[in-house]
């Protein structure tokens, strides 16, 4: 069995601290073969920088995925071109820097990781369903395990994609909302599924940000710069056991680990 840990959206310095301090023990406890984490908000709460990405890879993350905030920090474009294990959504135009799929070599075999961006309540972008089909068909036949980060706002779109990819994807992990859902399951054709993996950062917050600022913005309608919250740090994610010969998920479990 291939043991995968998929970590929910890392938010700012508190999220990076959680990765640094909690990931080694989680990898040991669950005998993890591959760690995937969404890092699009890991630098200052929005975006990703090369230095922050390098730190997360050094801490033990094998593949970093992202979403609509990947372009927020200057200097990330060249880094994406140079670092294949750091992904941007595959359904951005082909002229965009970087790539949306990475094939990782693990002790159990090769694993494809695909990063896709939803379209409901999101900027206009190519259809993730069609892009997934195209990328899946291009995988080497010996790559049986395919993990998808589906970065989307609408739960309906995430659920629809899970059903659509069942039988091809081994795990569909939803990201973007920063709120872990409780609907983990294995779909009929063997895909593990969770609508949202959650968030790695400060839980005494509004999706990782200072709650007082978030409340003021909602009450007054006046723009105010968000600041990353700092208290009650957790690492949220999901583990999946995948049969490497078939690519079918056999077990899926949500995890929450608290930083003390």
């Amino acid at each position: 069995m291939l043991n995968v840990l998929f970590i929910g959206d890392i938010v700012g310095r508190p999220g990076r601290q959680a990765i640094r301090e909690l990931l080694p023990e989680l990898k040991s406890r669950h005998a993890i073969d591959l760690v995937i984490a969404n890092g699009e908000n890991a630098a200052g709460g929005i975006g990703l920088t090369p230095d922050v990405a390098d730190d997360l890879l050094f801490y033990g993350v094998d593949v970093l995925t992202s979403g609509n905030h990947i372009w927020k920090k200057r200097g990330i474009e060249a880094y994406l071109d140079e670092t294949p294990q750091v992904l941007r959504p595959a359904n951005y135009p082909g002229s965009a820097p970087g790539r949306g799929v990475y094939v990782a070599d693990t002790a159990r075999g090769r694993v494809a990781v695909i990063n896709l961006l939803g379209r409901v309540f999101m900027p206009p972008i190519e259809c993730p369903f069609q892009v997934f089909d195209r990328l899946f068909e291009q995988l080497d036949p010996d790559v049986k395990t395919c993990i998808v980060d589906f970065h989307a706002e609408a739960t309906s779109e995430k659920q629809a994609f899970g059903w659509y990819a069942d039988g091809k994807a081994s795990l569909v992990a939803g990201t973007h909302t920063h709120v872990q859902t409780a609907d983990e399951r294995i779909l009929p054709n063997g895909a593990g599924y969770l609508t949202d993996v959650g968030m790695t950062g400060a839980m005494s917050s509004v999706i990782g940000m200072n709650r007082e600022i978030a409340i003021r913005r909602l009450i007054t309608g006046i723009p105010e710069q968000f600041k990353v919250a700092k208290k009650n740090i957790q690492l949220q994610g999901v583990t999946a056991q995948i049969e490497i010969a078939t690519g079918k998920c056999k077990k899926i479990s949500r995890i929450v680990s608290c930083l003390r």
Side-chain angles (χ1 to χ4, degrees):
M1 288 290 179
L2 173 80
N3 293 320
V4 175
L5 170 61
F6 195 113
I7 298 171
D9 301 48
I10 302 166
V11 180
R13 188 182 300 273
R16 302 198 307 269
Q17 181 184 359
I19 297 294
R20 183 178 69 248
E21 299 188 23
L22 296 174
L23 182 55
E25 192 275 333
L26 285 172
K27 290 175 69 173
S28 176
R29 186 198 320 168
H30 297 283
I32 297 299
D33 301 297
L34 180 67
V35 179
I36 305 164
N38 187 290
E40 72 152 5
N41 293 308
I46 184 167
L48 182 67
T49 64
D51 287 347
V52 165
D54 283 343
D55 284 345
L56 293 171
L57 296 173
F58 178 76
Y59 297 154
V61 176
D62 297 302
V63 184
L64 278 169
T65 56
S66 63
N68 55 306
H69 294 316
I70 186 59
W71 315 111
K72 294 293 185 180
K73 302 295 187 186
R74 296 178 65 181
I76 195 63
E77 293 88 353
Y79 182 84
L80 290 174
D81 277 336
E82 297 164 0
T83 316
Q85 67 269 43
V86 180
L87 302 178
R88 50 84 169 161
N91 47 334
Y92 275 109
S95 57
R99 57 197 57 77
V101 59
Y102 175 70
V103 178
D105 290 310
T106 77
R108 307 290 181 185
R110 302 175 74 203
V111 179
V113 181
I114 296 175
N115 194 178
L116 293 167
L117 186 66
R119 295 195 295 180
V120 180
F121 309 125
M122 287 287 199
I125 200 165
E126 190 174 354
C127 174
F129 295 75
Q130 295 176 353
V131 171
F132 170 73
D133 282 341
R134 184 167 69 242
L135 292 175
F136 186 83
E137 291 301 318
Q138 292 172 357
L139 293 177
D140 289 342
D142 65 328
V143 178
K144 304 295 184 183
T145 301
C146 177
I147 297 170
V148 180
D149 177 344
F150 194 69
H151 194 83
E153 183 76 33
T155 55
S156 57
E157 188 180 19
K158 291 179 178 180
Q159 288 183 344
F161 183 82
W163 289 111
Y164 184 81
D166 185 29
K168 294 181 178 179
S170 307
L171 174 66
V172 175
T175 59
H176 180 67
T177 69
H178 294 203
V179 178
Q180 190 179 66
T181 56
D183 60 337
E184 71 276 15
R185 54 187 141 158
I186 298 175
L187 299 177
N189 293 312
Y193 174 83
L194 179 62
T195 295
D196 203 282
V197 178
M199 180 185 80
T200 296
M203 296 298 142
S204 294
S205 69
V206 174
I207 61 172
M209 297 298 170
N210 179 284
R211 60 180 185 265
E212 287 79 13
I213 294 174
I215 292 168
R216 278 199 302 272
R217 285 175 56 122
L218 290 168
I219 291 173
T220 66
I222 299 173
E224 182 177 352
Q225 185 175 359
F226 281 122
K227 295 182 180 178
V228 176
K230 300 178 180 179
K231 296 182 179 180
N232 185 19
I233 299 172
Q234 293 183 2
L235 184 155
Q236 296 182 347
V238 64
T239 60
Q241 292 184 356
I242 299 168
E243 189 175 61
I244 197 73
T246 64
K248 295 185 181 298
C249 184
K250 297 300 181 180
K251 183 178 181 180
I252 182 170
S253 304
R254 282 178 292 127
I255 63 165
V256 174
S257 184
C258 301
L259 191 63
R260 300 188 183 277

